[in-house]
Amino acid sequence: VALAFGAQTQAVYVVGGQVARIDQGGSPPPPQHPDLVTTLADAPDPVRVGNNLTLTTTVRNAGALAAADVTLTHALSGRVQLVSVSSSVGSCTTVAPLRCTLGTLAPGASATITRVLRPRSTGTLTSTATAASSTAEPLTSNNTATAVTTVTRR
């Protein structure tokens, strides 16, 4: 049994009986955990008082393992009226704070939640949506997304 170093390939060979090659050029395996990524978009921006504002939130599992019991919470301002809410998977409540139960998101899977709101007063409307899972997730800084909408007079 011996070690051989490939000058051209920069590889390490274990020789003797069976030959094995250890190559340092490969990439490490992906982390073995879920990674929920939340995005939030508003349209139109600006919006006029009394007109509909659509908030679209996407929760995607960018990790290598499934995320179980995924939920999305979104606190509603008293300055808006909830017109409707829908989700591509699971279900959502229609009372504040808005909560959607999305179930299990497999690696690469996503859920889209659409809320239609009607602003009641002018100013800046800040909307924040946060996803969570019962499965341990080491990176949670990308679980929350915020949109700032300008509300103008009619």
Side-chain angles (χ1 to χ4, degrees), residues 3-75:
L3 292 177
F5 300 96
Q8 300 288 346
T9 63
Q10 296 183 358
V12 177
Y13 297 89
V14 179
V15 184
Q18 295 183 345
V19 177
R21 177 179 170 175
I22 303 167
D23 192 352
Q24 64 184 3
S27 58
Q32 296 297 306
H33 56 74
D35 181 19
L36 296 178
V37 178
T38 304
T39 59
L40 176 59
D42 60 339
D45 186 5
V47 64
R48 293 178 186 254
V49 170
N51 287 359
N52 286 346
L53 167 66
T54 301
L55 297 176
T56 305
T57 304
T58 301
V59 179
R60 182 175 57 89
N61 182 1
L65 290 181
D69 303 316
V70 177
T71 58
L72 178 81
T73 55
H74 181 223

Side-chain angles (χ1 to χ4, degrees), residues 29-151:
Q32 296 297 306
H33 56 74
D35 181 19
L36 296 178
V37 178
T38 304
T39 59
L40 176 59
D42 60 339
D45 186 5
V47 64
R48 293 178 186 254
V49 170
N51 287 359
N52 286 346
L53 167 66
T54 301
L55 297 176
T56 305
T57 304
T58 301
V59 179
R60 182 175 57 89
N61 182 1
L65 290 181
D69 303 316
V70 177
T71 58
L72 178 81
T73 55
H74 181 223
L76 294 178
S77 165
R79 298 178 40 221
V80 298
Q81 172 190 1
L82 178 64
V83 176
S84 66
V85 61
S86 63
S87 179
S88 62
V89 297
S91 62
C92 299
T93 63
T94 56
V95 296
L98 185 70
R99 181 179 166 92
C100 298
T101 305
L102 307 175
T104 298
L105 289 181
S110 64
T112 302
I113 299 90
T114 304
R115 292 164 311 285
V116 178
L117 310 173
R118 191 166 294 137
R120 296 179 178 165
S121 61
T122 62
T124 301
L125 181 64
T126 301
S127 303
T128 302
T130 302
S133 170
S134 65
T135 308
E137 181 185 3
L139 176 65
T140 59
S141 61
N142 56 0
N143 289 22
T144 299
T146 301
V148 178
T149 309
T150 302
V151 183

